[in-house]
Amino acid sequence: GGSDASSGGGDTDSESGSDTTVAAAAGNDMPAPFDEGPVKIAIVQNSGAGDYFQQWTAGANLQADLIGFEVQIFDAQADNAKQATDMETAIGLGVAGIIVDHGQTDTMCPLINDAIEKGIKVVIYDIAIAECAPDAVETSQSDADLATLVLTQMAADVGKDVSVGYVNVLGIAPLDRRHVIWDEMVTANNWSQDFFVGEFTNSVATDNARLVDAALRANTGVSAIFAPYDEFTKGTVSAIEQSNLQDSIRAYGIDISNADIEIMTKDGSPWVATATTDPNAIGAGVVRTMALELAGEQDSRTVQFPGVLVTQDFLRENSITNMDDLRVSLPALNLTDTSSADWIPSLEFK
Amino acid sequence: MTSMFELRDITKSFGTNQVLRGVDLDFEPGRVTALLGANGAGKSTVIKVLSGVHEYGGTISLDGAPITVDSPGTARRLGIEAVHQKISDGVIPGLSVAANLLFDEIVTNETSRFASSRSLLPKAKEMASILDLGWTDAQFKGDVDDLLLADQQLLLLARALVRKPRLLILDEPTSALSKAEADRLFEVIEQLTEAGVGVFYVSHRLREIDRIADELVVLRDGQIRGRYEPPFEWSSALDDMLGQTRAETEERNDEMQGTSDVLALQGVQLLPKADPLHVTFRAGEVTGVFGLLGAGKTELASGMFGAAPFKVGAMTLNDSPYSPRSPSAAIKAEVFMVPEDRAAGTLVGDWSIARTSSLPFLSAVSSLGVLNAKSEHDVGEDVIKSFGVVANSAKDPVIALSGGNQQKVVVGRWLKEQPAVMILDEPFQGVDIGARHDLVVRVREVAKAGSAVILMSSDLEEIMQAADRVLVLVDGEIQHDTYLSQTSREEILDSLVTS
Amino acid sequence: MSTTANTDTTGTKGLAPAATRAFSAREFAVRYGFIIVTILFYAFFYWTEPAFRLETTFFSMMKFTSVVAITGLGITTAMTVGGLDLSVGSTAGMSVTISAMTMVIYAQSAPLAVGAVLVGGLLIGAMNAFLIVVLKIPDLLATLAMMFSIQGLKLIPVDGQSVSSGLILRDGTVAPGKFTEGFLKLDRGFVGPVPYPAILMAILTIVMWFFLTHTKWGRVMYAIGSNPEAARLAGVKVGLYKAGAYMISGVMASISGLILSSRIGQGDISAGASLLLDGIAVALIGTSVLGANRPNALGTALGAVLMGILITGTTIRGYPFYLQDVVKGAVLLLALVFSFTLSRKKHRHQPAVPM
Amino acid sequence: MSTTANTDTTGTKGLAPAATRAFSAREFAVRYGFIIVTILFYAFFYWTEPAFRLETTFFSMMKFTSVVAITGLGITTAMTVGGLDLSVGSTAGMSVTISAMTMVIYAQSAPLAVGAVLVGGLLIGAMNAFLIVVLKIPDLLATLAMMFSIQGLKLIPVDGQSVSSGLILRDGTVAPGKFTEGFLKLDRGFVGPVPYPAILMAILTIVMWFFLTHTKWGRVMYAIGSNPEAARLAGVKVGLYKAGAYMISGVMASISGLILSSRIGQGDISAGASLLLDGIAVALIGTSVLGANRPNALGTALGAVLMGILITGTTIRGYPFYLQDVVKGAVLLLALVFSFTLSRKKHRHQPAVPM
Ligand SMILES: Nc1ncnc2c1ncn2[C@@H]1O[C@H](COP(=O)(O)OP(=O)(O)OP(=O)(O)O)[C@@H](O)[C@H]1O
Ligand SMILES: Nc1ncnc2c1ncn2[C@@H]1O[C@H](COP(=O)(O)OP(=O)(O)OP(=O)(O)O)[C@@H](O)[C@H]1O
Ligand SMILES: [Mg+2]
Ligand SMILES: [Mg+2]
């Protein structure tokens, strides 16, 4: 986990690299409240751990620096109770805005509303709060979009009427949203779902590898596995390799990171496609949304960040070995025109 | 007429080991019944049955009415109070001395359920006064663990005496006590018997039995072998106790006088306020260090053994400087010690006799670190044979032996070797006459073979029986140093007082 | 004469000198070192972090502390009888699920939910006691086995899902109930500026302190922890007291579960995961407070407070969580050095590794 | 002499009855109950699940087992000297990070990575020993504090992130190295059909078994665990042996870390998290095998195997993970009942003098 925010953003961050360029140069006259001095905001994270959240946080920090935010980060390490406490503390700090990154709806909603009552602007990322906290801005990467992208690819690869495996855990907003699409695609393609395993522990990859490995022995003849979260996919891949099935089974995931790229491009890797957004860009986008909200320019209460499909072939053809290469080859990842404004210096991650 | 407590045909086995085979006993108000028996005879077991610790076969009746003693609580309600042989079974470290004195009252709600530590103090002092235990307030409030073994024993006695039970059971209560403390105990016992308390008294010390007992019962192999009225017929009582064997109580005429100095202490200070002491121990003789509890014997012993190195003073071993910082260093220099507290100092879990015996000399039973089971077993068997330990084989757990037999093992394991110096701190605690005789013979053999043997004891009898030379230790200072042939019991006892 | 012997023997080693020694630097460190550390940390954060000074920060810190403290109190009780309760974390987690089920799935009232949870905790305690006292399984192992079992068992009725309002039941219908306002108040309510959990923590600490140090039952429990055989020979029903201790531990754990549940506002299946180690940590730290060298309620509470100060302080300073772990470990070590390295006292009630 | 008296007593409690007793049903359960349970479970899955019969299943089961087993062996060693090592999980995690750093960031060879990891484990062990032996902090507390500290410390050099090739360093350059093939072989290599980890587990188990039961060093360790004071007075350098035990424990933990690292193929920061409790569980289960009633290597390995059988079997049967926890707990309990409830053995491996 890299909630190394107070240390001032990207410099210690690894995955976005230090060579980011400011695309649209900062607009000379900033609107209130940015015209006088730095604006204090807090980011209340459910978990800062894992490649994904690390990049997310890094991107957020870089963007925040450019806009002139003073950021206080809270990392609950996946402890929902701790996140509630953090939120209370954050509210107590009297910041102008709070970004809530993941968390349980029932836990955070009342607190979000408390914050809004106290005149604090709230932007949340990846929590379903539309009904219970209508005044907060709900941002999310479009999970439906991601799932559709990769599952369409999968359908193209393996065709209809085949046996497939599924690795997921329900009860977590984004994974639930991906699950919906999965169900649709399974029926649409008349796939037979031979197994559905998955557990969310504190070492996801290793523990799920165990589950998938066992599942594969119990169900031979599976031709593809969908694991809509890269930690799951990692586990799935190592399980497939455990059982030497890389030739007969394809794995499809969601999200990407340096580690994932290495795994996908490795010879004979069963992981053929993943759909993703650039966590750095999303982090930045969320912060931009907060800026707009504070400036009173954010009208819609929901913002969605579209995803892109990344295939193994694409990675190999462009000999991509890490996120930076990927960003160069896929500018769309930068989301520069989501939640942007001329006075906001937006980022491109190279 | 029926007596107060009647035990009829009491039986008890541990596994297949039948320890009691039909014991009949009667206890009358105001009478002291003494129980004599060899180590392992079953004395402590009788007591544990009577005080509700063990289940048992047979019947116990109170004033003619049959009763069942199924728990210590029941025993207490029936008016039975026991002070068990092991002090560690009585005191509760971590609680204050006061709380320990009053623990029975606390359990039985005779003190308020919400009593503060302070409110316990007066009652506790009152109890302590029974044995004139002149402890300071600080001590009453302090952890019972800070008391010496002897004071802990006295505490337990006071705890039982104060309850004025119908039957008071004492299992070798004086083995850790000085003569004066024992005398005080006997006075109290006499007061209690006058008040109609029945007393069941277990001891190996014939003089004590002579002094207080109204009846003597002898136990052997879990059966009553003899009953005596005072004046007691000791020779036949000892026959009953030891079977056909006869314990020799003849005059000694085998005094050895060592010549070569082995271990010399220069300016060693035993106790904080004591003067530095200079003494030399010689090979080829047994030096008995006699002193009351708290005289500094254990300090002396554990100092020479490096278990608690001396803060002040120096030592030489065979004329070369000797200052062990740890027992292992001492053992390398061939200085061995049998510690005072058997349970805490020597017994290891459920280890067999063989393992316990070989522990200090593992290199001898191993090559390149790999143990040789055979030679290890032999070591155990050797100890069993040469010390007459009551056991099936060297595989028996030491912990399941009786107190005395345990002692034979832990002393015996050191005497297999021929050390430069052999230190024995209270080696005869709870050891019956037969066992003690065996030990003495072996100890003297080791001395004869050229070791300097040092024997600490607070029991003059033991010194007289085992030693050639006697040192009298008083408050950490040597008051008397001579060969037994050149002194007398009276002279030695005087040297205790005239200091 | 023996009397004089005694008095002077103790003179040489006894407690009178100890009393004077109490004011030596070392003894001072042993007694107050830990408390001083706590104050120093508080002062440090207080001066360096304006945000730390806020009343709101203080009280949300207390809320955080309360859960760990209450769990720690339970563990402390088990430790006084010479045991250790590894099942507290799972018990708290189970309580979260139970309360959620009662209100969400069975649409029952908050009081009923609270009742169900407390009974649950009591039963776990009783089960632990049964394993330990009747089946004679050593404490560490029995409670470890319980820990695993509960972790799994609690998830069976909910098919391993977090229970939140709007949950779809097996029969396809939507769960009728929701977390009631009253229940949510448990964690979110205030008396003046003071949040309920903080008050609860204070009350339970005082109650347990009084119970353990000023009542017969507490004394006997300490006795059992220190020398069970002696206690038994003195006629104590050791089994009964052990059972009692574990039931208290179970109830305490379920109380912290209630607070968590009310804080999270749903039957979060992962709740309570981190509680076990933190709880043990504060209970163990507690043994070193004021040189007590035995488990004690006040020490445990203070340990929890220190833990809270560290977590809150470092979070506000924006330390990454891993630095927080380092600080946690370092401070734990410091406290330990005070009470074990510097203290001359013998230590008891250390949960021995039971074979 | 009284020797004659002996012979006649011995007659009454001769060997014959003792020998026969050994074959009473109860004794039988105590000795073999646990092994039978293991076999029964194996047989059950074997008959009901075709997939379970596959050789590949067996060996991948062994692979999962090996990590827990090796960690358990370390804990077992610490337990023989009367301690317990709570830092093994973090140590394994640290090893994963160290190996990744050595190969990925510093682009060093696999042997060097292995060396670094083992040295790391040794140092942790030494640190534990220092706290316990020199600073006199009780084992549970010292290793708990270490656990927290390591968890955090290991993440500082890597800014709390998983280390994998392609990682961009602080200076913006790309990490030069990657996990070498040779290193990945550690977990993925085979001798015939047998995976390396399984072999490693077998070897280490036998080595530790021999060391603990057939060498004087092992003997002395048991003595220390059972009565440190007695060991000291018998001339044992207690501190030295304790230190040794914890260093062994540290090295074992780092070895399981190596296997994990090779299995995951990157410096996963969360690796090893679940290892502590499983390791303790198998080490404790191990004490009940063959009625040993003390920590022992074979028992620990067997405990790990049972654990592996249960996990694999139940997963193949498609039990949800929470049912697996239930099974785990239930079996642990069963094993305990065999060795503690049914066993008549009175005197167990237990520190006689309170720490
Ligand atoms: N708890 C026990 N378990 C197994 N055997 C026991 C137990 N207690 C005593 N024994 C056996 O019972 C026999 C009698 O023991 P006991 O302690 O009663 O002897 P004793 O007469 O008190 O000897 P001593 O004079 O040494 O105290 C011994 O052989 C001992 O091995
Ligand atoms: N653990 C201790 N700490 C400090 N002083 C002690 C300790 N044990 C004993 N002393 C002091 O040392 C002196 C000698 O005690 P010690 O136990 O050596 O008596 P002893 O002569 O060995 O008698 P015995 O061995 O019969 O108990 C006593 O005055 C006592 O106050
Ligand atoms: Mg006896
Ligand atoms: Mg002594």
Side-chain angles (χ1 to χ4, degrees), chain A residues 50-332:
Chain A
D51 299 333
Y52 183 89
F53 296 116
Q54 238 154 34
Q55 302 175 61
W56 191 97
T57 314
N61 275 308
L62 284 171
Q63 183 73 74
D65 285 358
L66 290 174
I67 296 172
F69 278 130
E70 194 179 298
V71 188
Q72 167 86 64
I73 295 214
F74 296 88
D75 177 357
Q77 298 169 63
D79 178 340
N80 295 320
K82 172 88 161 44
Q83 190 181 14
T85 317
D86 289 346
M87 186 67 181
E88 286 174 356
T89 317
I91 295 170
L93 297 178
V95 290
I98 298 179
I99 295 175
V100 182
D101 169 20
H102 287 85
Q104 300 292 328
T105 309
D106 298 339
T107 314
M108 301 311 291
C109 257
L111 296 163
I112 290 171
N113 289 325
D114 291 355
I116 292 172
E117 278 166 30
K118 293 201 169 56
I120 301 172
K121 300 289 186 208
V122 179
V123 174
I124 69 96
Y125 177 66
D126 240 344
I127 319 175
I129 54 149
E131 324 80 57
C132 63
D135 298 340
V137 182
E138 177 177 1
T139 67
S140 63
Q141 66 180 356
S142 171
D143 291 287
D145 188 21
L146 289 169
T148 316
L149 278 169
V150 72
L151 287 174
T152 321
Q153 177 67 36
M154 173 165 154
D157 294 348
V158 301
K160 295 180 182 297
D161 316 316
V162 293
S163 310
V164 295
Y166 185 39
V167 185
N168 198 358
V169 170
L170 301 186
I172 302 165
L175 297 184
D176 288 346
R177 288 197 292 269
R178 295 166 194 183
H179 178 69
V180 175
I181 306 296
W182 167 252
D183 278 346
E184 290 170 11
M185 293 295 279
V186 168
T187 32
N189 294 293
N190 186 32
W191 288 329
S192 79
Q193 175 182 309
D194 282 13
F195 64 85
F196 176 2
V197 296
E199 69 181 281
F200 214 103
T201 61
N202 39 19
S203 46
V204 179
T206 349
D207 294 348
N208 283 280
R210 204 192 67 231
L211 295 174
V212 178
D213 183 79
L216 283 175
R217 311 187 175 288
N219 311 278
T220 46
V222 176
S223 57
I225 301 175
F226 180 47
Y229 166 42
D230 58 351
E231 292 297 315
F232 291 160
T233 330
K234 275 186 207 160
T236 307
V237 169
S238 74
I240 294 177
E241 286 169 342
Q242 297 277 342
S243 349
N244 288 314
L245 293 169
Q246 37 284 61
D247 310 333
S248 51
I249 303 183
R250 291 194 182 83
Y252 296 83
I254 286 183
D255 303 336
I256 195 162
S257 70
N258 284 327
D260 299 342
I261 293 177
E262 185 194 1
I263 297 170
M264 282 181 78
T265 51
K266 170 163 89 259
D267 290 345
S269 166
W271 187 351
V272 294
T274 190
T276 188
T277 48
D278 179 356
N280 293 280
I282 292 193
V286 173
V287 171
R288 286 200 300 274
T289 314
M290 172 55 79
L292 293 173
E293 174 74 353
L294 285 166
E297 299 176 16
Q298 179 65 41
D299 307 330
S300 148
R301 294 292 87 185
T302 60
V303 177
Q304 286 217 332
F305 305 105
V308 294
L309 179 73
V310 180
T311 64
Q312 193 180 59
D313 303 340
F314 178 85
L315 291 175
R316 293 213 175 116
E317 281 151 18
N318 304 279
S319 56
I320 292 165
T321 64
N322 60 41
M323 287 303 287
D324 291 12
D325 304 351
L326 184 64
R327 292 190 192 94
V328 176
S329 322
L330 274 178

Side-chain angles (χ1 to χ4, degrees), chain B residues 148 271 292-299 340 425-426 458, chain C residues 9-10 12-13:
Chain B
L148 297 173
L271 306 181
L292 301 181
L293 265 147
K297 300 187 295 296
T298 297
E299 267 64 15
E340 174 179 25
D425 191 356
E426 304 283 1
S458 47
Chain C
T9 47
T10 50
T12 59
K13 58 89 53 110

Side-chain angles (χ1 to χ4, degrees), chain C residues 63-138:
Chain C
K63 282 177 70 168
F64 173 82
T65 306
S66 59
V67 179
V68 179
I70 294 172
T71 315
L73 285 174
I75 296 177
T76 303
T77 321
M79 278 169 68
T80 52
V81 295
L84 188 60
D85 188 347
L86 298 180
S87 67
V88 288
S90 329
T91 307
M94 181 191 75
S95 311
V96 173
T97 308
I98 292 182
S99 57
M101 283 178 63
T102 330
M103 288 182 293
V104 175
I105 298 181
Y106 302 112
Q108 298 300 321
S109 69
L112 205 101
V114 173
V117 166
L118 294 180
V119 171
L122 203 66
L123 289 179
I124 299 292
M127 186 64 196
N128 278 326
F130 173 75
L131 297 176
I132 294 163
V133 176
V134 181
L135 297 192
K136 309 236 178 322
I137 299 173

Side-chain angles (χ1 to χ4, degrees), chain D residues 1 9 39-40 50 52 82 91 94 101 117 131 134 144 213 218 220 226 247 254 256 258 261 268 305 323 326 330 333:
Chain D
M1 295 259 14
T9 15
I39 294 170
L40 284 182
F52 192 81
T91 308
M94 180 190 76
M101 281 178 67
V117 165
L131 297 177
V134 181
L144 182 71
T213 57
V220 168
S226 180
M247 282 163 152
S254 61
S256 22
L258 281 174
S261 174
D268 177 2
V305 170
L323 277 186
V326 179
L333 272 178

